[in-house]
Amino acid sequence: MRTFSLVLFFSLALIAEAKQPNVVLIFADDLGYGDLGCYGNSKIRTPNIDQLAKDGSTFRHFYVAQPVCTASRAALMTGCYANRVGLAGALNHTSLVGINPTELTMGELFKANGYATGIYGKWHLGLQEQFHPAANGFDDYLGIPYSNDNGPLHPTVPGMPALPLFDGKKIVEKDPDQALFTRRLTERAVNFIKTNREKPFFLYMPHIMPHVPIFASDRFRGKSQFGLYGDVIEELDWSVGEICKSLKEMNLERDTLVIFTSDNGPFLSYGEHAGSSGALREGKLTTFEGGVRTPCIMRWPGTIPPGATTDELLTSFDLLPTFAAMLNAKLADSKIDGVNQLEFLKNAGKGKSSRTEFWYYAGEELHAVRSGPWKLHLPHEYLTVAAAPGKGGKPSNFENMKPLTIKESGLRGIASRHGYAVRQQPFALYHLLDDPGETKNQFKNRPEVVDELMKIVENARTDLGDRLTKRTGKNVRTVGKVPEP
């Protein structure tokens, strides 16, 4: 009997040790680098996210692939630069393309390895059935297919169709109460955790807020010291707290990697309804640091060190291969751009990242490259707030806008819809550790650094192309398209 008991004990111990970790990935929308207490904000209360940072590690040089919604999410889900999978930019209700069914998504990786998978929030990778979350590895879905301004509440474009809310594959509401989004998504996510507590799960929460138009529930509206935007962020913080509380109640904390980050920087033209880039330059829609460097916190007790901070380079598309390494799982044979960062995460604050460079794309244009602390801007046009930032949910220069349509495309179309001006960026070289605000151009002083970075520019243009120099990338794959009738 004693021998049997010992065998049973060690067998159970091995099973416990071999248990695959749960993953909770919280992906805010348009949250700024300077919006959280743990990133220096003193006006908005984020105690739950700040506690997550104390219990985990803070990554201060975390990048998304592009400073816009669809491109950022395509990279996150596939482990590739958005350009490689043909999804640069942002989709809307008229789009006939989406994530190619041949791409291995994060949802499919987890599902293939026995995980329950749920997504609660904004998908934004295609509208048709073959692009739906259910066709890309997710068991459960509650959310919207594109941004919440793609409906009758769009701040500047009249005549938009009703915003659909999906539950699974069905549209269950049109123009739902946006003030309830954060609460409803959180309640569904907590239920998902409770339902799947006995098996490994992947919970993906691409929150709808704080993308304009912004709303907070009655419990939070008017409660912050920073207006409606502060209310929205404090409700998101509550959501993070509810997720962490449910993990604790289910005794799942040590078995769960929790990641909190954002899809891109703040929508600065919307002023009091937008966030802050902190010390970084510009925001969403630009390849300055404020557009593509986002807050990132990871907690995994016993694996990721608590209270650590690092300035090492890390990207959203490194997560897919890192998760694959966690699961000892095989990735697809097609090329990806992400690198396995598992050992770096385990040694955050002391270890070195496996990533050595980053390519800054906006749409199909290569705007800059980074290696180590150095960032080289190539000549390109960029957006900056046209006049005084907007108020009351309207963008800058709203009073002078002519009637607009969603069909206006390109940089100037975006500028006209959202109150931006177009400016010209010359060659520039910045040392990001010393100059995160990109204010001290060292292009003429460090020609040897420029020469080295130009080699990276050439590699990027050859691989993924560059519309500015009329280069076609050799390794760009086909975007998913609706089949011909």
Side-chain angles (χ1 to χ4, degrees), residues 5 8 28 50 56 67 74 78 124 171 180 193 207 288 343 345 433 453 469:
S5 298
L8 178 61
D50 297 348
T78 65
H124 218 168
I171 297 175
L180 301 181
I193 292 172
H207 271 291
F288 294 102
E343 291 306 311
L345 299 186
L433 295 181
L453 289 172
T469 53

Side-chain angles (χ1 to χ4, degrees), residues 310-459:
T310 179
D311 290 333
E312 289 287 308
L313 186 57
L314 182 68
T315 74
S316 62
F317 45 92
D318 292 333
L319 294 179
L320 180 73
T322 302
F323 293 158
M326 286 167 45
L327 306 180
N328 195 26
K330 188 179 184 301
L331 291 169
D333 293 331
S334 53
K335 178 180 175 62
I336 67 169
D337 300 290
V339 293
N340 172 16
Q341 298 277 18
L342 185 56
E343 291 306 311
F344 168 55
L345 299 186
K346 292 178 179 179
N347 295 282
K350 297 179 181 178
K352 287 289 184 181
S353 170
S354 299
R355 174 162 297 283
T356 58
E357 62 187 50
F358 178 72
W359 306 344
Y360 297 75
Y361 273 93
E364 296 175 4
E365 299 178 359
L366 180 64
H367 284 187
V369 297
R370 174 176 175 174
S371 179
W374 292 104
K375 177 180 181 181
L376 175 67
H377 274 276
L378 307 167
H380 63 85
E381 291 183 331
Y382 70 93
L383 299 174
T384 193
V385 179
K391 295 182 178 181
K394 302 299 182 183
S396 172
N397 203 35
F398 177 75
E399 295 79 5
N400 299 321
M401 287 183 178
K402 61 181 181 180
L404 304 171
T405 71
I406 200 72
K407 294 181 180 180
E408 293 180 90
S409 61
L411 203 64
R412 281 165 175 77
I414 295 171
S416 66
R417 282 198 301 277
H418 295 292
Y420 284 93
V422 179
R423 300 284 185 263
Q424 183 68 36
Q425 170 65 31
F427 271 116
L429 179 69
Y430 301 113
H431 191 286
L432 294 178
L433 295 181
D434 298 336
D435 181 25
E438 298 173 271
T439 61
K440 302 171 185 175
N441 187 354
Q442 301 190 48
F443 182 80
K444 295 181 179 179
N445 303 330
R446 300 299 298 269
E448 76 286 0
V449 176
V450 173
D451 288 345
E452 287 301 311
L453 289 172
M454 284 303 296
K455 295 176 183 177
I456 297 174
V457 169
E458 179 59 25
N459 291 339

